[in-house]
Amino acid sequence: MLKVTNLRKVFDRIIAVDSVSLEVKRGEVFGLLGPNGAGKTTTIRMILNIIQPDSGTVTFNGLPFREETWNIVGFLPEERGLYRKSKLINTILYFATLKGMSERAAKPVAMKWLERFSLVDSAHRKVEELSKGNQQKVQFIISILHRPQLLILDEPFSGLDPVNQILLKDILLELRQQNTAIIFSTHQMDQAEKLSDSICLINKGRVVVEGSVADVKKRYGKNSVHLEYEGDGSFLGALPYVRRADVYQNYAELELSDMSQTRDLLTGLDGKLSLRKFEIVEPSLHSIFLNVVGTPGSAAAQPRKATA
Amino acid sequence: MNKKLAVAKWEFMEKIKTKAFLISLILTPIIMVAFGVLPSLLAMKPDESSVVIGIIDESRAIATSLAQKVDEKYRLPDGQPNYMIRELFDGTSADELKTLGNRMIANDEIEGYFYIPATVFDSGMVEYRAENVGNFRTQERFSRTIEEIVIEWRAKKEGYDPLLLRRLMANIDVRSIKVTGEGEEKESGFLETFFSAYVIIMMLMFLVLTSGQLLIRSVVEEKSNRLIEVLISSCSARDLMVGKIIGLSGLGIVQVTLWAVIAFVISAKFNASIFQLDIFLIALIYFFLGYLLYAAIFVAAGSPATTEQEAQQLTGYVTLLLVFPIVLAMPVMQNPDSTLVKVLSFIPVLTPAFMVMRMPIQMPELWEFLATIALLIVSVLGMMWVAGKIFRTAILVYGKRPTISELIRWLRAA
């Protein structure tokens, strides 16, 4: 469906996106991950033809962006907003007509979605009378009403309560079933891990990790240990064979430099913590993310300058 | 084309329903009528009952004929005399009489009084005292009548016949008759020429202001709620811009048409024929082209704005451009054929206003029409191109306002 090749964009000598390539098939959920300012939004904007890349190509079903492409993509931007003074249903229908639908065809579909999101009673109310979360649902409806082949969602889950997060997740999986290609960006790694078929992790404008979730995890190997315990775990990060430690109150995720050292770890803990659980697992996307992106202040977290 | 129309329809339908639009639609003509017509209507309103005016006539030669003349000339609508003259002079000193007169004013016995000193025929000085000295009508009527009497008296003294003198001094009435290009005569008052040009320019101004401001507002709104990103992932920036211009122009046209109808009804009531058809049709061409030019300027100037205040400021500058020709209207009307006016007619932002103003007064030559229209079309196309470029980039600029050099870079960008 979507094929992005060697995309590059420079703003004021800062390289926002550099040789980004990715491919999304229909019926696939694609997680676009990365820290703030990594270049996710810029990449999305170039895919949607909102801004022009300095170099690289974007094709849809093998063709470059054309007049018709506008009608087969749907987009939910990260920062939300609607026409505050307009009626819900009118707003939805306006965007449907911009996507090439007739109002007559769009209306029943709009009502169906409003019903699904329990907003049917508000159809003729003004947007400003709705809560933020409900406005976000309206924007989501706008992005999917015309049944796009490619749906791009920038941080779709932020701002939704748990009930609506589940509703949104269910709908995304339905759309996937109906052969929609879905790209979504997020900071919530557990979300991405549960939903995505493939992921792409961008940092400082470059793709650092990509592939199917299973592949990525396999590539990063089984070098993670999850602990549940009682006691003070603050010493864990200082152990010699622990490469990185993510320590919470009664829980810790450790990454070892070598898996053969699990035995050393276990003996090292003896007498210091009362263990409830000791588990050798695949790394979570979360830990892969931290691994690749680095901790705040580390060299990996500084923006790169273009040497032009 | 479909998407342009969808944008146009949305902008038109959503804005026409707003209270702000309805208020401006109704309130503006009311305010304009109130400002333009009410004061003169009030000033022209006749008195409802006779007004008593006192006279202290030390010269002993004026009061009687003044009373007679005023009685002849000024009547109330019901036929009663407008003014009652009360002679206050009784031989006592002027100071005592003035004290008396002032007391009578305070007691509402008289509206006011004229003090005519004995020396009036030499000095020509007369005093008027009243509670309300702002009543120009009474003052003007009496002073003119007293002047007549004084002049007659002086003439008689010098041995002239007052009647002869009045005939000699009769006013000249100028009837202005316009000679058209074909040499035909056509009676035309100043009002007619004045209005036909002025009304069209004022309409252009209102149309541009209404639509231009709405356009900038809607762009600023879409920038601040980020809907702009959804919009331009649904249609091209050009479709969006053109759609907005069409929709909001429709709104402006509704407004201006309604006002034009009101103006037409009022003018028909006063029997003033405002429009001549041929002029009107040519004016429409200038109107249309001028509108497109200003709309493009509005887009170019306004789309980089990121806040309502900035938008207001930018609109302010463009408004100055619009007001400029109206400030120059008077000199143009007095001298439509001067070289300066001809040259200024070729500056695109001034062309519509200047040509429309010149036409009813003195038809410009054919080559001037063709040249200015051609130049205007070229500048409309050029300005639209510039506006489109700026719009394309500016709609994605949120944070700070772009600098001039950035704007130039946008123009160069593909």
Side-chain angles (χ1 to χ4, degrees), chain B residues 20-60:
Chain B
F21 179 74
L22 288 177
I23 288 171
S24 88
L25 188 67
I26 295 162
L27 221 55
T28 314
I30 291 176
I31 289 172
M32 279 171 75
V33 168
F35 269 81
V37 178
L38 235 95
S40 58
L41 273 185
L42 280 178
M44 270 157 44
K45 188 174 152 293
D47 294 319
E48 277 154 9
S49 58
S50 298
V51 178
V52 184
I53 300 288
I55 301 283
I56 303 173
D57 182 12
E58 281 188 341
S59 75
R60 312 298 302 137

Side-chain angles (χ1 to χ4, degrees), chain A residues 13 23 31 68 99 117 122-123 137 146 170 227 294 302 307:
Chain A
R13 298 187 156 244
E23 200 172 345
E68 297 78 42
K99 289 293 189 185
F117 281 104
S122 310
K137 292 190 224 165
H146 58 291
D170 289 346
L227 301 176
Q302 303 303 318
T307 49

Side-chain angles (χ1 to χ4, degrees), chain B residues 95-255:
Chain B
D95 288 342
E96 272 175 54
L97 285 170
K98 286 181 189 174
T99 324
L100 172 73
N102 291 351
R103 205 166 53 237
M104 289 174 84
I105 291 173
N107 292 344
D108 278 341
E109 287 174 54
I110 55 174
E111 165 80 17
Y113 65 89
F114 282 88
Y115 168 65
I116 304 172
T119 58
V120 65
F121 296 115
D122 298 323
S123 68
M125 297 290 285
V126 171
E127 289 172 14
Y128 177 63
R129 286 186 169 74
E131 211 167 5
N132 172 16
V133 288
N135 190 339
F136 291 110
R137 187 168 46 185
T138 303
Q139 270 186 61
E140 201 245 6
R141 284 173 170 180
F142 274 78
S143 71
R144 206 188 315 142
T145 313
I146 293 171
E147 192 180 77
E148 262 174 46
I149 296 167
V150 169
I151 290 175
E152 276 175 26
W153 190 90
R154 284 180 186 156
K156 223 183 276 177
K157 194 181 160 207
E158 301 287 330
Y160 297 108
D161 177 5
L163 283 175
L164 175 70
L165 190 75
R166 197 185 295 171
R167 235 179 22 244
L168 293 177
M169 286 181 48
N171 286 337
I172 307 286
D173 251 338
V174 178
R175 240 172 88 222
S176 54
I177 294 157
K178 197 181 118 141
V179 180
T180 65
E182 291 84 45
E184 284 168 43
E185 285 188 3
K186 214 169 154 204
E187 205 158 327
S188 87
F190 175 69
L191 269 182
E192 187 179 337
T193 46
F194 181 79
F195 268 121
S196 51
Y198 228 62
V199 162
I200 289 176
I201 294 162
M202 290 299 261
M203 281 189 180
L204 178 63
M205 196 180 95
F206 274 114
L207 182 61
V208 171
L209 279 184
T210 312
S211 325
Q213 270 170 346
L214 286 172
L215 197 137
I216 293 186
R217 280 236 190 94
S218 96
V219 172
V220 169
E221 190 197 356
E222 279 161 6
K223 273 177 160 187
S224 65
N225 63 19
R226 299 297 196 268
L227 273 178
I228 197 77
E229 302 194 16
V230 181
L231 287 168
I232 55 173
S233 63
S234 306
C235 67
S236 69
R238 206 172 130 265
D239 283 351
L240 190 63
M241 180 177 100
V242 173
K244 276 179 189 296
I245 291 178
I246 295 174
L248 297 173
S249 306
L251 210 61
I253 288 168
V254 167
Q255 192 170 40

Side-chain angles (χ1 to χ4, degrees), chain A residues 108-231:
Chain A
V109 188
M111 293 314 278
K112 193 195 86 189
W113 282 116
L114 285 173
E115 197 154 4
R116 183 99 190 251
F117 281 104
S118 336
L119 282 171
V120 126
D121 297 334
S122 310
H124 288 278
R125 284 167 69 194
K126 286 184 180 174
V127 166
E128 61 186 351
E129 295 167 27
L130 295 188
S131 71
K132 275 242 148 109
N134 281 340
Q135 291 190 24
Q136 192 173 333
K137 292 190 224 165
V138 173
Q139 283 192 288
F140 180 68
I141 294 175
I142 287 171
S143 69
I144 56 169
L145 186 89
H146 58 291
R147 292 185 128 272
Q149 294 178 29
L150 173 66
L151 176 61
I152 299 183
L153 309 165
D154 207 346
E155 293 287 340
F157 293 100
S158 69
L160 288 182
D161 61 48
V163 177
N164 283 305
Q165 288 199 10
I166 291 172
L167 179 58
L168 180 61
K169 179 209 69 178
D170 289 346
I171 293 172
L172 287 184
L173 292 179
E174 277 168 37
L175 291 171
R176 170 172 173 256
Q177 209 77 54
Q178 292 159 12
N179 226 10
T180 311
I182 300 169
I183 297 179
F184 78 107
S185 85
T186 184
H187 298 124
Q188 289 166 279
M189 293 303 140
D190 52 330
Q191 207 78 267
E193 186 164 351
K194 282 179 222 156
L195 262 177
S196 315
D197 300 302
S198 307
I199 58 141
C200 168
L201 178 56
I202 297 183
N203 190 30
K204 286 176 287 169
R206 276 179 185 280
V207 175
V208 278
V209 178
E210 65 167 322
S212 72
V213 173
D215 276 352
V216 168
K217 286 189 167 187
K218 207 176 290 166
R219 210 179 312 154
Y220 276 78
K222 284 199 174 190
N223 61 349
S224 285
V225 176
H226 289 186
L227 301 176
E228 271 181 43
Y229 51 80
E230 272 161 36

Side-chain angles (χ1 to χ4, degrees), chain B residues 262-332:
Chain B
I262 294 174
F264 186 76
V265 168
I266 291 176
S267 70
K269 238 188 172 141
F270 287 103
N271 269 332
S273 75
I274 290 181
F275 295 116
Q276 292 164 254
L277 191 66
D278 52 342
I279 289 182
F280 184 67
L281 290 179
I282 303 175
L284 266 186
I285 298 175
Y286 282 110
F287 188 97
F288 180 69
L289 289 173
Y291 176 73
L292 289 180
L293 181 68
Y294 282 121
I297 293 175
F298 254 98
V299 171
S303 51
T306 53
T307 62
E308 191 78 12
Q309 287 99 310
E310 255 177 43
Q312 218 97 63
Q313 233 175 40
L314 292 165
T315 339
Y317 294 132
V318 185
T319 311
L320 278 183
L321 266 185
L322 281 167
V323 174
F324 192 52
I326 290 169
V327 175
L328 291 175
M330 271 299 163
V332 173

